[in-house]
Amino acid sequence: MKRFLALLLCVLMVVALLAACGDGTQGNVQGNVQSDAQDSGESSDQAGSTTVVIGGQSDLVTLDPGNMYEPYANMISYAAYDMLYRVQTGTMGTPEPSVATDYTVDDSGLVYTFKLRDDVVFASGNPLTAKDVVWSVNRVLNMKESNAYTLIKIVDKVEATDDYTVVFTLTEPDASFLVKLTSNAYCILDSELVKEHGGSDSGGDTAKEWLDNNSAGSGPYIIESWTPQEQLVLQKNPNYWGEAKNIDTIIFREMTSVDAQITALKNGDVDIILGLNTETAKQLEGVDGITIANGPTALMTFLVMSRDEALSPEMSNPKVQEAVRYALDYEGYLALGGEGCTVPLNFVQQGFSGGLTRDLSTDGRDLDKAKALMEEAGYADGFDITLTCASNNSEGLEWTTIAQKVQQDLAEININVKIETLETTLVYEKMRDATMPFYIMFWSPDYYDINNQTAAFLPGVGEDGTAYGNRTKWERTPDNEILWELANQVQVETDEAVRAQLSEQLQQEYAKDNPLAFILQHPKTFAFNSNVFDNVTYNDLCKIELCELNVK
Amino acid sequence: MLSLQYQSETFRKDVSDLLRYIIRRLCLMVVLLFGVSVLVFLISHFVPSNPAAANLSQTALNDPEIVAAYEAKWGLDKPVWEQYIIYMKNILVNHDLGTSIRTGRPILDELKQYFPATLELSIFAMLIAIVLGVTFGVISAIFQNKPIDHIVRAVSVSGVSLPSFWFALLVMNLFCSVMNIFPSGNRYDARLFAPNGGTGLYVIDAISWNNWPLLSDVLAHLFLPALVLGFFTMGLITRQTRSNLLEVMSSDYIRTARSKGMKESRVVWRHALGNALVPVITVSGMGFCNLLGGMVFVEKIFSWPGIGQYAYLAAVNLDFPAICGVSLLIALTYVVVNLFIDILYGVIDPRIRYQ
C-alpha cells in the first residue's frame, strides 16, 4: 500500500509540474514538411512563400522602439518601422530622407521643419501623418529612464503645423540632429493603434508589453512573433508603401555558438550567419555556395594610460604615453584583426566626418623615437607596469591576444608589462572608478556622429568616470583648450565639408597629446548562402539591412 | 474481517506518515528558500558594480537626469534592506517575482519561458544517463574483468572526466558537420514551427497536437545536447551500478538463488538489480542537480534557450530580480528533486519508512 501511495505521489508531482508549465493554448505549426529547396541549400519556399533564416546572437531584450538600445535593435526597427530620415545603404550613419521629403533649418539652428510624404500608410492601413510623428516623439520624451531618451532629449518641443509638416524645436543647436533622427528612438508609431494598447505621449506609457510582440509601423515587414533568446519572425507588410522585396518571411534565430552557426549555414539550416570573426571565417573558406563578407563597423580597440600619478608615476607621464604609441607594431595588429581592419589616428573612426587613419609609412612604429621619448621622460631603463585586460573580445579578437602583443611590443622599449586578466564587469567598474593605470578597452558610438566621440574622449569629460577624460584623469587645461574650441565648432557646424575639415584639425591637435593609443577599428565578418542571395548589405547601425534583402 | 481492519489501519498509518513527512519537508523548504533569497539578494547587491552602469548606454550615463530616473524606476535609489522588503512583500502578497531590469518583462513570465526548455533537456539527459548508465553498469559487472568491462569502464571514466564543452564541440563536429545527421543547435527547425503556447515542453506539445513531424524534429534537436549533458551522470551511474551489483552478487541470498538452479539472467535482473539500484537513485538525484551546473555551457554551445543562459545574462547585467528568481527556482528544483528521490526510495525498498 505504501509503495502504491509513493508511486501515486511521484506521478502527481510530475503531472503538476507539466501543468504548471502549460498555458493550455496550441502551437502554431508553420508547415509540416521542409521543402526540397531547403535541402538543396536554397531558401525555403513553402506553398509559394519565401522564407529566409538568419542565425546570430542579438541579445535583443525588447522590440519597443522607445526602449530599444541593444546592438541589433535597429536591424529590427528598420524592418518594421520608418523614421523621417534613415541611414543610407552601406554608409556609416549618413542620413537620407525616408518619410520626410526634405527639411529646412532656421538661422538659429534650433528650428527644423520637415515636409512629409503623403503616401505612407501603416501596416494597419492607417495613413501616416504629422500627428503620428509628434505623438511618437512625445512618447519617448516622457520615458526618461530609457536609453532611447538620450537621443531625443535634444528636442524641446515638436509640433504638427498641418497633416504633412512637422516642426522640431531643439534645446540647443546640434549638427548631429539628422543622424539622431535615423535611430530607433525616432521610429514613427501608428499612434491610434498603440494608444489602444496602453500607449501614451504624456507619461505612464504601458504599451511595451504589446510592442514586444507586435509592431505598429509602416516598414516593409511586420513583427509576427518573438520568443526572446529563441527566435523572431517577421512577415511581409501587405500594405507597404515602398518597393516590396521578394521575401515573405524572415526568421532571426538566436544562435549563441559560432560553431553551431557555421554548421547550420553549411547544412542549409540558415541562410545568413552573423557571429564570425577572422579566425572562425576560415572554416568557411572555399566552401561551395557560401560567401564570406565584411562590413565596416565603428568599433575600435585602444589602450588607456591614466594620467593619475598616484597609480603609476611612470605610465602617467605624457612622454611615456607617446613612446607607447610609437612602440606599437600596428602592422602586427592589422594582421591579428584580419581583412577590413584599419588603424584610426585617434578617436574619430573611418566613416565619420573627417575620420583619419594612422599613416603607417610616416607615423607607424618607430622604436628609435620611442626610446628617445623614454629617455627624455627619464625612464630609459624602463619600468614595470600591469596591463589590465578583461576576458572580452572585439569582433572575435580576444583582448588577451592583444595584451600579449602589447607586452611583446613594449618590451622593446624596456617596459616590462605584466598582464592581469579580470572579469569584464569588474574591469568596467574599475574603469569608472579610474583605478587602473593601464588597460585595454573598446568603444562604439551610441549614434553615428562625431559629436558622440567628442562627448567621450575630450579632456575633462565624464563626471564620475562616465567618459575617458575623467577615467584617465586627463584634465581640461589652457594647453588643450584648442580641442574644446574645435569640438564646439564641430558640434554646431552644419556644412559637412567645413565640419570634416574641423574634424581633421581636431584629430591632428588631439594626436599631439592624449592618454590613449588607438590600435584597431574592426570590421564585421558575416557569411551568406550565395545560392540564395546575390548580395547582402551591411551597415553598422542596422547590421544586416533586412529591407534590402532579395532572394535570387 | 480482522485482516481488512488491519489493512485499513496500515493504510491510514502509511498515509499519515507520508503526509507528516511531506509537510515537514515543505516547512524546511520555506526556510531554505527564505535563506536563499536573503543570501542571493545580499551577495548580488554587494558586487562592486551597479545595474545602471551595466544597462545604460555611455551617453545615458553621462546624464544625471537619466541615471536618476532609471534608479528611481527600478528602486535602486533605496537602501538594500528596503529593496529586500519590497521584493519579499511583492512575492508574498502579490505573488510577483518582480520585473527584470534588463528586459522589463515580469520575471515569472521569463521563468515560465526558459524553465521548460531546461526541464525538457534535463529529463532527456537523465533518461539517457540512467538507461545507458544502468545498462553499462550491469554489463560491466556481469563481464567483470573481461574486455567489454574494460571498454565500459573506459567510457564511464571518460564521462566523468571529459569537460562538457569539449565533448559538446566534439559531438557537434562529428554528428552535425561531418555526418550531418543531427541539427547543430536550437530546439526545433525554424521553418517548421513557431512556438506559441503549449507547455513549452515541445515533446509533450508535439504529442498532444498529434504533430509527428514536429515530434521527430524536436527529438532530433534534443538528442545531442541531452547526450552531452547526461554523459557525466551516465559515468557516475555506470560506476555505481557496477560496484553495487558486484557487492550484491556476492551476497548469501544470491548464492542461495543460484544453488536452487535459477538462471543467471533471472538472478541478476530479478534478485540482484533491485537491491543494487537503491544507491543508484541517490547518485541519479545528485546527478540531476549537477546537470543544472553544466547547463550554461551546453545551452551556450547548442543555442538552447534555457534557464542557464538566462541566469548568465542576469548575472552579467546585474539584473537583481532575475538573479533572485533564478536562484529561488533552482533551489526549489533541488528540494523537489530530493523529495521525489526520497519518496522513490519507498517504492524501490519497502523497508524504508517515512519518518
Side-chain angles (χ1 to χ4, degrees):
Chain A
M1 186 58 76
K2 187 175 71 68
R3 293 180 71 169
F4 169 74
L5 266 178
L7 200 58
L8 183 70
L9 202 71
C10 290
V11 172
L12 281 176
M13 284 170 76
V14 172
V15 171
L17 193 62
L18 295 182
C21 289
D23 63 6
T25 56
Q26 283 237 342
N28 173 23
V29 178
Q30 293 188 327
N32 288 329
V33 286
Q34 285 177 274
S35 70
D36 294 340
Q38 187 202 338
D39 294 337
S40 64
E42 295 168 14
S43 67
S44 168
D45 192 341
Q46 292 163 13
S49 72
T50 308
T51 299
V52 163
V53 183
I54 302 170
Q57 186 174 10
S58 76
D59 289 342
L60 283 170
V61 297
T62 176
L63 301 183
D64 174 357
N67 279 292
M68 281 174 154
Y69 155 67
E70 298 66 42
Y72 283 82
N74 281 295
M75 187 167 86
I76 308 306
S77 67
Y78 265 62
Y81 294 90
D82 283 306
M83 301 90 172
L84 294 177
Y85 271 67
R86 59 184 298 119
V87 169
Q88 200 178 322
T89 298
T91 68
M92 188 82 80
T94 305
E96 66 175 9
S98 176
V99 169
T101 53
D102 58 16
Y103 78 100
T104 56
V105 57
D106 76 345
D107 292 341
S108 69
L110 291 174
V111 181
Y112 283 73
T113 304
F114 294 91
K115 286 285 178 195
L116 272 56
R117 296 176 67 112
D118 59 5
D119 58 347
V120 182
V121 288
F122 289 109
S124 65
N126 294 335
L128 186 156
T129 64
K131 81 171 171 48
D132 295 299
V133 178
V134 172
W135 189 89
S136 304
V137 171
N138 280 330
R139 175 175 183 261
V140 184
L141 274 173
N142 282 286
M143 295 164 69
K144 291 191 171 52
E145 72 289 348
S146 156
N147 278 303
Y149 174 74
T150 58
L151 300 183
I152 217 164
K153 65 172 291 193
I154 189 76
V155 177
D156 183 37
K157 62 177 177 179
V158 55
E159 297 161 300
T161 52
D162 62 47
D163 277 356
Y164 297 103
T165 308
V166 182
V167 180
F168 285 80
T169 307
L170 308 188
T171 54
E172 58 182 332
D174 183 359
S176 61
F177 182 57
L178 281 191
V179 172
K180 288 177 179 170
L181 276 183
T182 64
S183 80
N184 57 277
Y186 290 87
C187 280
I188 305 166
L189 276 62
D190 184 340
S191 58
E192 293 305 318
L193 184 61
V194 181
K195 275 192 264 186
E196 285 171 21
H197 295 93
S200 167
D201 63 347
S202 55
D205 181 275
T206 55
K208 178 182 172 293
E209 192 181 343
W210 185 80
L211 287 167
D212 276 349
N213 294 290
N214 302 276
S215 53
S218 52
Y221 295 93
I222 53 178
I223 294 168
E224 170 80 10
S225 66
W226 179 48
T227 312
Q229 301 300 322
E230 204 161 325
Q231 71 173 13
L232 185 146
V233 182
L234 298 166
Q235 291 287 359
K236 183 183 258 187
N237 173 5
N239 292 325
Y240 183 51
W241 56 278
E243 184 196 343
K245 304 294 180 186
N246 62 0
I247 297 169
D248 298 291
T249 308
I250 297 177
I251 300 172
F252 185 89
R253 299 221 81 179
E254 293 289 347
M255 301 185 81
T256 44
S257 150
V258 179
D259 295 287
Q261 289 181 34
I262 290 171
T263 307
L265 182 67
K266 281 181 183 170
N267 295 348
D269 295 335
V270 299
D271 304 307
I272 302 171
I273 58 170
L274 300 175
L276 294 176
N277 60 47
T278 311
E279 272 308 304
T280 50
K282 286 177 185 161
Q283 295 180 48
L284 289 169
E285 279 174 5
V287 177
D288 271 352
I290 289 175
T291 299
I292 302 167
N294 279 319
T297 79
L299 182 73
M300 55 181 178
T301 307
F302 48 91
L303 299 174
V304 185
M305 300 168 276
S306 177
R307 289 277 162 105
D308 187 348
E309 285 185 26
L311 292 176
S312 166
E314 301 92 352
M315 191 48 97
S316 61
N317 187 314
K319 289 203 183 301
V320 171
Q321 295 179 354
E322 198 178 351
V324 167
R325 281 190 285 274
Y326 278 111
L328 295 176
D329 169 24
Y330 296 101
E331 304 277 4
Y333 296 101
L334 284 172
L336 284 178
E339 194 185 332
C341 270
T342 54
V343 180
L345 177 61
N346 46 60
F347 71 106
V348 183
Q349 304 95 317
Q350 278 287 288
F352 285 76
S353 188
L356 296 174
T357 52
R358 182 175 280 271
D359 183 348
L360 298 186
S361 59
T362 59
D363 210 14
R365 190 180 207 199
D366 187 340
L367 286 176
D368 291 339
K369 201 165 182 176
K371 283 175 185 167
L373 283 161
M374 288 288 283
E375 197 171 343
E376 221 176 302
Y379 300 112
D381 295 333
F383 57 88
D384 295 344
I385 188 76
T386 299
L387 173 64
T388 307
C389 166
S391 46
N392 206 341
N393 69 81
S394 300
E395 290 296 350
L397 177 58
E398 294 295 332
W399 289 6
T400 45
T401 307
I402 296 174
Q404 284 160 9
K405 175 78 181 139
V406 171
Q407 186 181 45
Q408 196 184 337
D409 289 351
L410 298 193
E412 302 265 357
I413 56 168
N414 298 326
I415 298 179
N416 179 30
V417 173
K418 183 187 158 207
I419 299 169
E420 171 192 50
T421 306
L422 298 175
E423 202 277 319
T424 306
T425 49
L426 191 58
V427 173
Y428 288 167
E429 195 57 25
K430 285 164 78 89
M431 172 178 75
R432 283 185 285 270
D433 291 342
T435 55
M436 295 179 289
F438 189 33
Y439 58 97
I440 297 176
M441 196 39 67
F442 62 6
W443 190 86
S444 190
D446 292 330
Y447 58 94
Y448 290 74
D449 187 271
I450 181 179
N451 285 356
N452 198 188
Q453 278 92 328
T454 56
F457 289 103
L458 286 196
V461 294
E463 250 181 78
D464 301 325
T466 54
Y468 288 93
N470 186 276
R471 286 170 185 172
T472 57
K473 303 292 179 201
W474 186 28
E475 304 295 338
R476 182 176 176 176
T477 63
D479 288 343
N480 57 38
E481 192 57 27
I482 181 71
L483 299 178
W484 277 92
E485 284 167 16
L486 287 165
N488 288 338
Q489 290 177 56
V490 166
Q491 166 114 22
V492 295
E493 179 56 61
T494 49
D495 183 321
E496 185 47 40
V498 177
R499 201 165 187 239
Q501 209 174 1
L502 287 167
S503 165
E504 284 181 20
Q505 206 182 333
L506 173 59
Q507 291 163 75
Q508 301 289 5
E509 288 294 332
Y510 196 90
K512 289 177 185 169
D513 176 37
N514 69 76
L516 306 160
F518 291 84
I519 297 176
L520 287 175
Q521 180 179 349
H522 303 267
K524 174 77 187 170
T525 308
F526 59 98
F528 60 86
N529 186 333
S530 40
N531 293 324
V532 177
F533 306 104
D534 282 323
N535 190 25
V536 172
T537 55
Y538 181 94
N539 78 57
D540 201 33
L541 179 71
C542 308
K543 313 306 174 198
I544 298 296
E545 296 179 335
L546 300 182
C547 307
E548 303 298 326
L549 278 184
N550 241 344
V551 298
K552 281 181 176 175
Chain B
M1 193 67 173
L2 266 176
S3 168
L4 274 175
Q5 193 182 356
Y6 174 75
Q7 277 190 9
S8 166
E9 277 175 16
T10 312
F11 178 72
R12 269 202 300 273
K13 188 172 180 314
D14 283 344
V15 170
S16 154
D17 283 351
L18 187 58
L19 284 178
R20 213 175 307 140
Y21 178 75
I22 290 172
I23 289 167
R24 198 170 65 242
R25 292 288 296 264
L26 289 177
C27 292
L28 282 173
M29 186 172 80
V30 172
V31 176
L32 177 82
L33 291 179
F34 175 73
V36 167
S37 74
V38 173
L39 270 179
V40 171
F41 210 86
L42 286 178
I43 291 171
S44 57
H45 278 74
F46 287 114
V47 168
S49 187
N50 74 76
N55 292 285
L56 285 178
S57 68
Q58 186 170 307
T59 311
L61 279 174
N62 276 333
D63 191 328
E65 183 194 11
I66 298 174
V67 174
Y70 186 84
E71 291 184 341
K73 177 171 179 178
W74 298 108
L76 303 168
D77 51 349
K78 296 184 171 66
V80 176
W81 62 267
E82 200 179 331
Q83 289 181 45
Y84 181 73
I85 289 173
I86 294 170
Y87 180 73
M88 287 310 286
K89 197 174 147 193
N90 278 333
I91 292 180
L92 298 173
V93 179
N94 306 324
H95 311 297
D96 177 7
L97 285 171
T99 305
S100 163
I101 294 177
R102 187 175 68 89
T103 67
R105 296 172 67 213
I107 299 294
L108 208 56
D109 288 357
E110 300 206 318
L111 295 180
K112 273 185 184 172
Q113 182 202 322
Y114 296 114
F115 188 60
T118 298
L119 184 65
E120 188 170 66
L121 182 55
S122 306
I123 289 171
F124 275 82
M126 278 313 292
L127 276 178
I128 289 175
I130 291 171
V131 170
L132 291 183
V134 170
T135 309
F136 286 170
V138 171
I139 291 171
S140 192
I142 292 173
F143 299 99
Q144 190 187 5
N145 295 329
K146 304 267 170 57
I148 193 162
D149 177 32
H150 297 310
I151 293 169
V152 169
R153 285 165 70 188
V155 171
S156 69
V157 169
S158 308
V160 291
S161 52
L162 281 181
S164 57
F165 71 92
W166 186 87
F167 185 54
L169 291 173
L170 181 79
V171 297
M172 184 189 284
N173 194 37
L174 182 66
F175 292 112
C176 309
S177 195
V178 177
M179 298 167 77
N180 192 12
I181 53 174
F182 285 106
S184 58
N186 299 94
R187 296 183 69 191
Y188 50 84
D189 186 333
R191 292 184 167 100
L192 189 68
F193 179 68
N196 179 20
T199 62
L201 302 164
Y202 293 151
V203 172
I204 306 272
D205 290 340
I207 293 170
S208 68
W209 298 333
N210 294 326
N211 190 332
W212 308 118
L214 174 63
L215 179 65
S216 106
D217 180 60
V218 167
L219 287 174
H221 280 82
L222 252 174
F223 181 71
L224 288 185
L227 178 70
V228 170
L229 200 58
F231 201 53
F232 175 83
T233 311
M234 183 216 68
L236 285 182
I237 293 175
T238 303
R239 289 156 62 116
Q240 189 77 42
T241 307
R242 181 181 182 275
S243 63
N244 290 348
L245 199 57
L246 286 175
E247 194 183 323
V248 170
M249 293 288 275
S250 60
S251 308
D252 290 344
Y253 77 95
I254 295 293
R255 205 174 307 124
T256 308
R258 279 177 176 151
S259 67
K260 285 200 287 187
M262 199 176 278
K263 273 187 187 169
E264 187 62 15
S265 60
R266 190 171 166 82
V267 170
V268 172
W269 293 104
R270 178 82 184 173
H271 294 280
L273 194 58
N275 287 332
L277 279 184
V278 177
V280 172
I281 290 171
T282 315
V283 174
S284 304
M286 284 160 48
F288 189 88
C289 296
N290 280 338
L291 291 184
L292 298 172
M295 199 60 86
V296 178
F297 288 119
V298 175
E299 286 185 0
K300 170 96 180 159
I301 291 169
F302 288 99
S303 306
W304 198 264
I307 210 82
Q309 288 204 62
Y310 178 66
Y312 170 75
L313 289 171
V316 296
N317 290 286
L318 288 181
D319 188 349
F320 299 138
I323 293 170
C324 289
V326 170
S327 305
L328 289 175
L329 181 66
I330 289 178
L332 188 69
T333 308
Y334 269 63
V335 175
V336 170
V337 167
N338 280 309
L339 180 61
F340 185 84
I341 294 295
D342 288 347
I343 294 171
L344 211 59
Y345 280 146
V347 178
I348 302 281
D349 189 347
R351 291 168 302 175
I352 293 170
R353 290 284 170 268
Y354 300 113
Q355 284 170 358

